Amino acid sequence: MRVKVLGSAAGGGFPQWNCACANCRRMRNGSVRSRPRTQTQLAIAANPEYALRTYWSLINASPDLRSQIAATPELAPFANTDSSSPVRDIYLISADVDSLMGLLHLREFQAFNIYSAPAIKRILSEENSMFRVLGRARPPVQWFSLPFASQVNWKEKLDPAEAPLFIARAVSLGGEYPDYVGEKLRRELPETEAVVGLAFEYQGKHAFVAPTLRGLDSEWKKWVESSDLVLLDGTFWTDDELIRTGRSKKTAREIGHLPLSGPGGLFEQYPRTAKARKILIHINNTNPILDEDSPEHRATLEAGWEIAYDGMEIAL
Ligand SMILES: [Zn+2]
C-alpha cells in the first residue's frame, strides 16, 4: 500500500486567507520555520488486479483537489489514452465542505466511484443539486455505500501473496452533520453516519484514517491497536485554541475534534501498546505544532508522532 499526503491542513489551509493568527501572520512574512499546507487530502495506491497501470483511491475530495492532483505526477492521465485517469475511487468521511467540495473539481465528464455512508449521498443528492454535474459523465459517476464495521474485524492476517484484496470499511465515530444540512433532512439521518474513520486493508497490512476524531467512545483505540499505520486528527493543540486566537467562541471538542494536549487529549488517550506508525493530519493553521521551532512541535516528535506535510509519502 502506498499512501500520498496531498494535503495536510484543516479547513482553510495554512496560511488561511482571512486569518491573522501568529502562525498565519508569520508564515506570510517568512518569520516561521514551517511549510504551507493545503486542505487534507490523501491518495492510496493499492490495486493488484491492474498490473500494468496503477490506479489510485482518494480519501476526501478537498477544496484544493484540482491543484493537488496537478502537483502529483502519479495522478496525471495515462499516456496514450484520451481521458483515462488513474483516479478510480473516492472515499468520503463526512459531509463537511472541506471533505467533499473537491468533487466539483472532478466534474469534467469523468466516470469514477464514490464510497460513502448513505447519509452523505442523501445530503448531496437531495439538497445540493450542483453535484448533479457528476451524473453527466458517460458512464455516470457511481455511488456506493461503504460497509460499516461494528467492531474490529480485520480478516485474518494471511500470507501477503494470498491476500491481495484492497478492502475499506467505515468506522462510525459519532458526531454531527454540518450546519448547511436542512433541519428536516438532518432529523432523518442517523448519527452513526455523520463522521466515519476508514479502515483499509491490503496485502495483510492495515491502516486506520481518522482526520476528524471526537474520541467520545473508545472503539477507535481498538482500530489503532490493530493497525500498522494510523493517520489521526491533529487539528488542535489545546481545547480552547480557537477562543484564544480569536477565531471562534467554540472549543475544539465542541466542533468535533479531540485536542492533542491536556487531560483526555489524544496524546493521553492514545493506547500505549499500539505499534503503528502514527501520523497527525488535518492540522489547523492555529496549531503551534506547525512552528518547527516551538516546544509543542518538539514534544510531538518526542512522543513518537510524525506531523503530516503536503507531499509526504508512506509505503506500507
Ligand atoms: Zn491562522
Side-chain angles (χ1 to χ4, degrees):
M1 192 180 326
R2 268 177 79 202
V3 181
K4 285 193 75 129
V5 177
L6 310 189
S8 51
F14 176 52
Q16 179 175 316
W17 74 280
N18 63 345
C19 185
C21 75
N23 278 347
C24 289
R25 205 172 56 240
R26 295 174 63 216
M27 190 50 153
R28 283 187 201 99
N29 68 23
S31 65
V32 65
R33 199 157 67 88
S34 188
R35 304 170 187 237
R37 284 170 167 85
T38 60
Q39 295 164 94
T40 290
Q41 178 69 47
L42 296 169
I44 297 187
N47 52 324
E49 66 267 46
Y50 296 96
L52 299 175
R53 291 177 169 182
T54 300
Y55 285 86
W56 291 78
S57 298
L58 301 183
I59 302 176
N60 267 4
S62 99
D64 296 316
L65 188 53
R66 186 198 159 278
S67 56
Q68 290 167 334
I69 289 175
T72 309
E74 294 94 328
L75 300 185
F78 297 118
N80 307 320
T81 64
D82 288 337
S83 66
S84 188
S85 168
V87 174
R88 195 177 54 173
D89 301 313
I90 299 177
Y91 293 87
L92 301 177
I93 58 169
S94 76
D96 267 2
V97 170
D98 303 328
S99 294
L100 53 71
M101 194 175 116
L103 289 175
L104 295 175
H105 287 304
L106 305 178
R107 71 194 181 283
E108 310 295 350
F109 301 95
Q110 175 70 45
F112 54 86
N113 304 317
I114 302 174
Y115 295 84
S116 79
I120 310 306
K121 182 182 181 187
R122 282 195 66 188
I123 290 168
L124 292 198
S125 55
E126 292 179 25
E127 288 196 336
N128 295 274
S129 55
M130 197 185 291
F131 288 89
R132 286 181 201 150
V133 293
L134 299 174
R136 299 181 306 174
R138 290 290 173 269
V141 169
Q142 299 278 316
W143 207 305
F144 298 94
S145 292
L146 269 171
F148 274 73
S150 56
Q151 56 188 20
V152 176
N153 182 25
W154 301 109
K155 276 172 58 186
E156 247 178 80
K157 288 212 178 192
L158 300 171
D159 178 338
E162 294 170 14
L165 282 180
F166 182 63
I167 299 170
R169 298 179 181 83
V171 177
S172 177
L173 298 175
E176 290 169 12
Y177 291 96
D179 295 343
Y180 74 78
V181 179
E183 262 318 305
K184 180 174 172 294
L185 178 57
R186 180 191 302 269
R187 278 195 299 272
E188 295 172 12
L189 300 176
E191 194 189 324
T192 50
E193 294 182 15
V195 180
V196 302
L198 294 169
F200 294 102
E201 176 171 0
Y202 178 62
Q203 294 187 329
K205 296 287 189 183
H206 301 130
F208 182 63
V209 179
T212 295
L213 180 64
R214 290 170 77 89
L216 292 181
D217 63 32
S218 58
E219 193 61 24
W220 65 273
K221 297 181 192 176
K222 296 179 193 162
W223 289 95
V224 162
E225 283 187 287
S226 62
S227 292
D228 303 291
L229 167 71
V230 298
L231 286 134
L232 297 184
D233 186 339
T235 313
F236 299 112
W237 180 254
T238 52
D239 199 33
D240 64 351
E241 189 167 311
L242 287 179
I243 299 169
R244 281 191 300 107
T245 52
R247 298 300 307 168
S248 168
K249 294 191 165 29
K250 291 189 171 174
T251 65
R253 285 183 171 86
E254 281 170 346
I255 58 170
H257 298 283
L258 195 60
L260 297 175
S261 69
L266 180 66
F267 289 173
E268 190 181 287
Q269 287 209 47
Y270 192 83
R272 296 277 171 270
T273 50
K275 298 277 192 296
R277 181 173 173 185
K278 49 185 182 178
I279 300 173
L280 297 173
I281 195 163
H282 198 266
I283 304 153
N284 198 58
N285 57 77
T286 52
N287 192 329
I289 67 172
L290 289 172
D291 174 354
E292 294 172 20
D293 296 314
S294 70
E296 293 87 352
H297 181 90
R298 199 161 47 242
T300 300
L301 300 188
E302 280 169 5
W305 291 87
E306 294 172 74
I307 301 169
Y309 54 88
D310 295 14
M312 184 180 200
E313 274 205 59
I314 305 140
L316 203 58

